[in-house]
Amino acid sequence: MKYLDVQSFRTINSRLSFPTTSGDRHVVGRVEAYSCKVAGADKKLYRFLENKYQDDLKEAKNLSPEQSSLTNIVSPFGPLTQSASRKTLFYLIATLNASFPDYDFSSLSADQFTKEPSPSFALKSINTTLLNVGCPTTLRTSRMWDSIDSIIEIDDCDVYSYMPAMESDPYEDEGPVWSFNYFFFNKNLKRIVFFTCRCVSNLEELEETSDQELIFGDLMNDPVKTEYYPTSQHALKSMTIGGGLKF
Amino acid sequence: MADALDREEQAALMDREIYELALQQPDGLDADFLKVALPNYPLEVAVNGVNRLLKAGRLELMQVGTRILYRGVHAGEFERMAGLTGDERLVYKHIENSGNEGIWVRTLKQKTNLLQGVITRCLKGLEQKALIKSIKSVKHPTRKLYMMIDISPSSDITGGPWYTDQEMDTDFIEQLASQCYKFIYLQSYPRAMPRGVYSANHMAYPKSSVVHRHISTNGISTVALSVEHIEELLTMLVYDGKIERIAPAFEVDMGRGGGQSLGTKPKTDWMYRALRVSNMDSPFTDIPCGRCPVYDQCGDTGAITPAKCEYLKTWLSF
């Protein structure tokens, strides 16, 4: 996937980083445009995915009809038996790989994506989320959707969303309060606009203290000395406060 | 003129000496060591030699705490590193230091402070030279990890015997767990009496080591399993409610022992016993009347009648 450097996106991205109205969290997001031009590494990914699909198909043939349920055929991109649907999955995975260079999403399956009912659905969802959390005026007046529309023609797009399992979440090490990942895919223009955003708590220090440290605090590493007494009289004798008890 | 050549030859000789000394000290040597080992050369001359060797790649700088050490680079290693650029060398060193755990690209970026593009290029170069390989961890299946090409990833990363190709082998786990359960069941109840149980101080329930021996000798698993792996299976069975742990007898120590720090816990040698789930529900125990504390006073009239019964009300509101 070829990254397209769009000037208006740069402005949007600088404004997509803001503190929430509650003050204890901040939102970080970015919008990126990609063209579906397949580079060398992408070709390798495509071949890898195709091989994986063929292997899965072979395995499914060996299982009984009940075991190989239709879940591995139907996908949010259409039936996986059609190569066009597999191509869409490939584009989305390649976009994720390009946007998160520390990660490799080639092991993802189609069921971790969902298709949004319509582009306006996704738009409304994103707007609501951002507005609820205190989207600053600079972002609201930036005509973000107009810029995106000029690149991708939102109305002609298929919109997909990536809902990762906890281990496959590119934001797993930050433990965000929420995050979303939307792909605006225009088949005719062969372009994808990737809109990703997360809300992270500012209270980082708390996560690093273990439960034991929270409860015992400074007493953690000091040995608690217990002393044993053979009889309770002995105990009473040593518990003298002030005058003490005379035995 | 001859003087300068002489000095060069001398310097080369001294460098050679330093290099040989360094090779003999696998943990590296420091400036004080050089002072003692080369009394004929003044320290600054020796340090110049060290710097030359460092630049040539024959010596390597290491930092242990606050001490600085110089390690000799063996010929084979030198060959490998010779073809690498400075950045590649840096990346390679970090990957080497990660041992069999591998290192994440992001950690690499943080430690080397190199830019994304530089790191990607270095990694590609090192991969092409067959010095490193990329691996996947079962705990973070999307993270890009790299490690030395000739080392096997640790069981933390591969998931050990429970994972095959990054996927949890549930069939294998199920099979093994049921084998353990059957073995424990046979030793949990007396064979002579079908519905009997052993007495409270019966101590011959199997321990994890016994179960481990049984599984290993039976050859049920193609992969060698350790006692810890078996204990993981047994813990799973305990949480499934199929077996229970019984503490072995221990001596009560009434002496004036010292305290135990909060962290340490001696490893208990638990015994395992299969649980028999009783399915004997009878109507007499189901209806609240069977367990009612005021059953004797209950009648058709009066304060205590079924019509006003609280227990029946709760039971009937399912």
Side-chain angles (χ1 to χ4, degrees), chain A residues 101-107 167-170 172-173 216 219-220 223-226 228-230 234, chain B residues 104-106 109 116 136 138-144 253-263:
Chain A
D102 296 334
Y103 292 85
D104 179 7
F105 295 93
S106 48
S107 56
E167 327 77 65
S168 317
D169 191 355
E172 30 114 29
D173 60 335
F216 292 109
L219 299 174
M220 260 282 279
V224 178
K225 290 200 190 70
T226 39
Y228 294 94
Y229 299 100
H234 194 136
Chain B
W104 186 21
V105 179
R106 185 173 290 186
K109 257 195 287 193
Q116 177 63 52
K136 286 268 163 75
V138 287
K139 284 198 279 206
H140 307 279
T142 43
R143 283 194 188 178
K144 271 197 204 154
D253 186 11
M254 286 296 232
R256 282 182 179 238
Q260 252 192 339
S261 62
L262 280 169

Side-chain angles (χ1 to χ4, degrees), chain B residues 66-138:
Chain B
T66 46
R67 291 170 63 216
I68 306 239
L69 296 168
Y70 309 104
R71 198 177 64 88
V73 177
H74 292 268
E77 210 182 320
F78 181 72
E79 291 297 318
R80 263 183 299 161
M81 303 290 262
L84 307 179
T85 66
D87 288 337
E88 282 180 337
R89 225 174 285 187
L90 185 59
V91 170
Y92 182 72
K93 272 294 145 192
H94 280 287
I95 297 181
E96 196 180 30
N97 286 342
S98 68
N100 68 351
E101 294 286 331
I103 186 170
W104 186 21
V105 179
R106 185 173 290 186
T107 326
L108 209 52
K109 257 195 287 193
Q110 286 165 348
K111 285 202 174 168
T112 60
N113 273 328
L114 294 170
L115 295 175
Q116 177 63 52
V118 180
I119 294 228
T120 322
R121 242 177 310 133
C122 291
L123 288 170
K124 205 151 110 182
L126 288 170
E127 255 186 311
Q128 277 171 345
K129 294 196 180 102
L131 290 169
I132 62 174
K133 62 179 181 224
S134 90
I135 53 169
K136 286 268 163 75
S137 160
V138 287

Side-chain angles (χ1 to χ4, degrees), chain B residues 179-198:
Chain B
Q179 285 292 323
C180 294
Y181 174 67
K182 287 198 188 107
F183 176 70
I184 295 175
Y185 190 89
L186 285 172
Q187 303 207 359
S188 302
Y189 296 97
R191 264 174 264 198
M193 300 189 295
R195 286 214 159 278
V197 290
Y198 285 121

Side-chain angles (χ1 to χ4, degrees), chain A:
Chain A
M1 306 294 287
K2 185 163 177 292
Y3 177 71
L4 304 168
D5 194 0
V6 182
Q7 180 57 39
S8 55
F9 279 17
R10 289 214 222 167
T11 337
I12 297 174
N13 286 337
S14 65
R15 295 179 188 170
L16 265 176
S17 179
F18 54 87
T20 62
T21 39
S22 60
D24 58 351
R25 304 180 187 145
H26 55 278
V27 174
V28 185
R30 60 178 188 272
V31 186
E32 293 172 335
Y34 292 94
S35 123
C36 299
K37 230 186 277 196
V38 183
D42 293 333
K43 285 207 188 108
K44 232 177 31 175
L45 173 67
Y46 184 63
R47 258 176 306 181
F48 172 76
L49 290 174
E50 283 290 293
N51 287 339
K52 197 164 82 143
Y53 171 68
Q54 295 298 335
D55 288 339
D56 284 346
L57 209 58
K58 257 185 273 177
E59 239 188 75
K61 286 210 175 90
N62 293 337
L63 299 172
S64 71
E66 299 104 49
Q67 276 179 310
S68 70
S69 60
L70 291 169
T71 48
N72 57 1
I73 304 296
V74 174
S75 83
F77 318 115
L80 281 181
T81 41
Q82 288 181 4
S83 83
S85 332
R86 299 202 295 273
K87 203 89 197 254
T88 313
L89 173 64
F90 157 68
Y91 285 137
L92 297 195
I93 293 183
T95 308
L96 284 172
N97 281 351
S99 186
F100 297 102
D102 296 334
Y103 292 85
D104 179 7
F105 295 93
S106 48
S107 56
L108 289 188
S109 57
D111 55 6
Q112 285 169 302
F113 296 88
T114 52
K115 182 163 189 210
E116 298 294 307
S118 73
S120 56
F121 201 84
L123 240 89
K124 283 192 203 131
S125 167
I126 296 176
N127 283 340
T128 320
T129 313
L130 291 179
L131 284 169
N132 276 343
V133 100
C135 159
T137 20
T138 46
L139 185 59
R140 263 184 278 148
T141 53
S142 66
R143 314 222 56 111
M144 174 175 77
W145 291 112
D146 282 345
S147 314
I148 298 181
D149 194 44
S150 67
I151 299 292
I152 198 92
E153 281 174 44
I154 298 183
D155 290 326
D156 278 342
C157 283
D158 291 326
V159 186
Y160 300 98
S161 150
Y162 174 49
M163 327 271 261
M166 197 171 61
E167 327 77 65
S168 317
D169 191 355
Y171 299 127
E172 30 114 29
D173 60 335
E174 287 182 62
V177 180
W178 52 258
S179 69
F180 61 71
N181 304 288
Y182 284 101
F183 304 83
F184 293 84
F185 178 35
N186 191 318
K187 272 192 275 231
N188 302 331
L189 291 177
K190 288 192 144 277
R191 277 188 189 165
I192 291 188
V193 164
F194 180 50
F195 196 149
T196 177
C197 190
R198 67 202 185 271
C199 176
V200 186
S201 167
N202 295 337
L203 305 168
E204 271 175 39
E205 298 93 50
L206 204 63
E207 280 172 28
E208 291 180 2
T209 39
S210 68
D211 286 340
Q212 265 203 315
E213 280 179 321
L214 283 175
I215 298 171
F216 292 109
D218 293 325
L219 299 174
M220 260 282 279
N221 295 318
D222 294 334
V224 178
K225 290 200 190 70
T226 39
E227 291 168 311
Y228 294 94
Y229 299 100
T231 66
S232 56
Q233 274 192 339
H234 194 136
L236 285 170
K237 238 195 275 188
S238 44
M239 283 196 302
T240 50
I241 304 170
L245 302 159
K246 292 226 165 54
F247 279 88

Side-chain angles (χ1 to χ4, degrees), chain B residues 264-313:
Chain B
T264 56
K265 232 195 320 186
K267 199 162 179 262
T268 345
D269 217 355
W270 303 100
M271 297 188 297
Y272 293 90
R273 174 175 174 264
L275 289 173
R276 246 187 209 150
V277 182
S278 160
N279 282 351
M280 300 233 295
D281 281 331
S282 87
F284 291 118
T285 49
D286 250 4
I287 301 183
C289 305
R291 289 175 295 172
C292 181
V294 289
Y295 178 78
D296 292 334
Q297 302 161 38
C298 186
D300 284 332
T301 52
I304 305 179
T305 85
K308 297 191 203 150
C309 179
E310 289 297 327
Y311 303 120
L312 276 175
K313 212 192 297 183

